[in-house]
Amino acid sequence: MYSKEKKKQHSIKKGFWGHRSLSIFISFLGGAFILSLFSIIQKTVVDEGGLILDPRSYIMPVSYGGVTGIIFGLWYIRLKENEAELLEAYSSTLEGWAKAVEMRDKNTQNHTNRVVALTEELVRSMKIKETDLAHIKRGAMLHDIGKIDIPDSILNKPGELTEEERVIMEEHPARASDMLMNIRFLHPALPIPYYHHERWDGSGYPDALIGKEIPLEARIFAVIDVWDALTNDRPYRKAWTKNDALLYIKEKAGTFFDPYVVKAFSAHIRSTF
Ligand SMILES: [Fe+2]
């Protein structure tokens, strides 16, 4: 197990240095090319045409240009590495928040990891823009973050909720929005935490939006959230079979769920049976 992990780390490191060497080489070529081009223009303008074909006259431009290119290349690589490290730190923090909710909610162990993975698969199969995917994944990860503010007596109540308790439970999307609103980096991820309990026919919450008023990512996630809840054991019932769960989701197309999303989901999930 350990040597497998070591091998993996080694191959990542090898790939990293291979990528770095290639970037440095390209930077050298870019810098050398630009300065050589300036050199040719200079020779043409000051009428030294004879030197254009003399390779020795390019030693300085290639050297200076190449070195300058490498310096800029290294600076750019470092910038990208910092950006990647920062994103990694953000992701780990969000995972920690999601984990904190799961640790409190005894009903939904590992639910977050599964729904994030399935959301990514479905979004890819629907050919949604790659740039939107990162925000959608963050939204899926934080979909129930508002539950962190729901009392244990309600969150982990074994029986049915009273009307008053249900009202408090249904505040979790709004509480998620309150929590995340001041984090600008997470604004594009907010539609899932805030709208994932809306329904296509307007019977959902918190805003009772209808049809395409509900953001697409929230319409997608609503299907996945219910699918995962149905196909996994809960303290109060056994998991449904995949066929039964899919049948239920199809029955609810046009009432709870967007029919277009259900069609895409059905095609995708069938390929995984
Ligand atoms: Fe929720």
Side-chain angles (χ1 to χ4, degrees):
M1 183 87 169
Y2 174 71
S3 74
K4 218 173 168 184
E5 188 60 29
K6 220 172 169 184
K7 263 185 193 169
K8 194 178 159 193
Q9 294 282 345
H10 180 69
S11 71
I12 290 171
K13 225 173 174 179
K14 221 170 134 186
F16 171 76
W17 282 108
H19 176 74
R20 234 181 180 206
S21 310
L22 184 68
S23 302
I24 291 169
F25 181 63
I26 291 172
S27 305
F28 173 83
L29 285 184
F33 174 77
I34 291 170
L35 228 66
S36 300
L37 200 67
F38 277 126
S39 173
I40 291 172
I41 293 168
Q42 188 197 18
K43 283 167 187 154
T44 311
V45 172
V46 297
D47 200 23
E48 292 176 16
L51 284 176
I52 285 180
L53 295 174
D54 183 356
R56 286 170 303 175
S57 69
Y58 292 98
I59 292 172
M60 291 305 278
V62 166
S63 310
Y64 282 131
V67 170
T68 311
I70 287 174
I71 291 167
F72 273 105
L74 287 172
W75 170 76
Y76 183 74
I77 288 168
R78 192 63 211 139
L79 201 70
K80 285 285 159 193
E81 284 170 2
N82 284 345
E83 194 182 300
E85 280 165 18
L86 206 61
L87 279 175
E88 181 66 35
Y90 281 147
S91 291
S92 306
T93 307
L94 301 189
E95 277 169 30
W97 289 358
K99 199 81 201 157
V101 175
E102 276 198 348
M103 285 168 84
R104 285 199 58 224
D105 188 348
K106 306 286 181 277
N107 295 318
T108 57
Q109 299 304 299
N110 277 328
H111 168 72
T112 306
N113 285 343
R114 290 192 303 266
V115 292
V116 170
L118 190 52
T119 302
E120 180 172 6
E121 285 172 25
L122 183 57
V123 164
R124 282 190 194 280
S125 79
M126 291 173 77
K127 309 264 184 277
I128 290 172
K129 271 195 298 179
E130 194 70 22
T131 43
D132 293 337
L133 180 59
H135 300 305
I136 292 174
K137 279 175 70 181
R138 284 180 200 126
M141 193 175 289
L142 298 174
H143 70 281
D144 270 343
I145 192 74
K147 283 185 178 173
I148 213 157
D149 201 25
I150 303 292
D152 275 345
S153 57
I154 297 176
L155 195 61
N156 291 312
K157 185 174 176 180
E160 256 188 51
L161 299 181
T162 63
E163 184 56 23
E164 197 183 336
E165 289 166 338
R166 191 186 55 77
V167 169
I168 294 172
M169 183 65 124
E170 290 185 0
E171 282 175 6
H172 76 272
R175 294 187 184 194
S177 172
D178 292 343
M179 272 182 74
L180 305 177
M181 188 57 85
N182 293 328
I183 308 171
R184 205 161 49 148
F185 157 72
L186 290 175
H187 280 185
L190 260 178
I192 291 180
Y194 189 69
Y195 294 115
H196 69 285
H197 286 293
E198 296 288 356
R199 288 178 175 167
W200 184 253
D201 62 3
S203 64
Y205 61 92
D207 291 347
L209 298 183
I210 297 176
K212 291 188 176 176
E213 286 175 358
I214 308 163
L216 176 61
E217 57 269 51
R219 281 180 267 146
I220 292 171
F221 187 79
V223 173
I224 289 169
D225 199 22
V226 170
W227 165 265
D228 190 80
L230 293 177
T231 54
N232 285 281
D233 286 338
R234 291 287 162 101
Y236 47 87
R237 61 148 174 81
K238 295 299 280 178
W240 290 21
T241 65
K242 287 183 174 181
N243 273 323
D244 285 350
L246 186 56
L247 204 66
Y248 173 82
I249 283 172
K250 280 179 165 177
E251 274 172 13
K252 299 297 179 191
T255 50
F256 289 4
F257 307 123
D258 175 352
Y260 163 72
V261 172
V262 171
K263 204 173 162 193
F265 176 78
S266 174
H268 173 70
I269 210 73
R270 278 214 167 278
S271 69
T272 67
F273 274 20

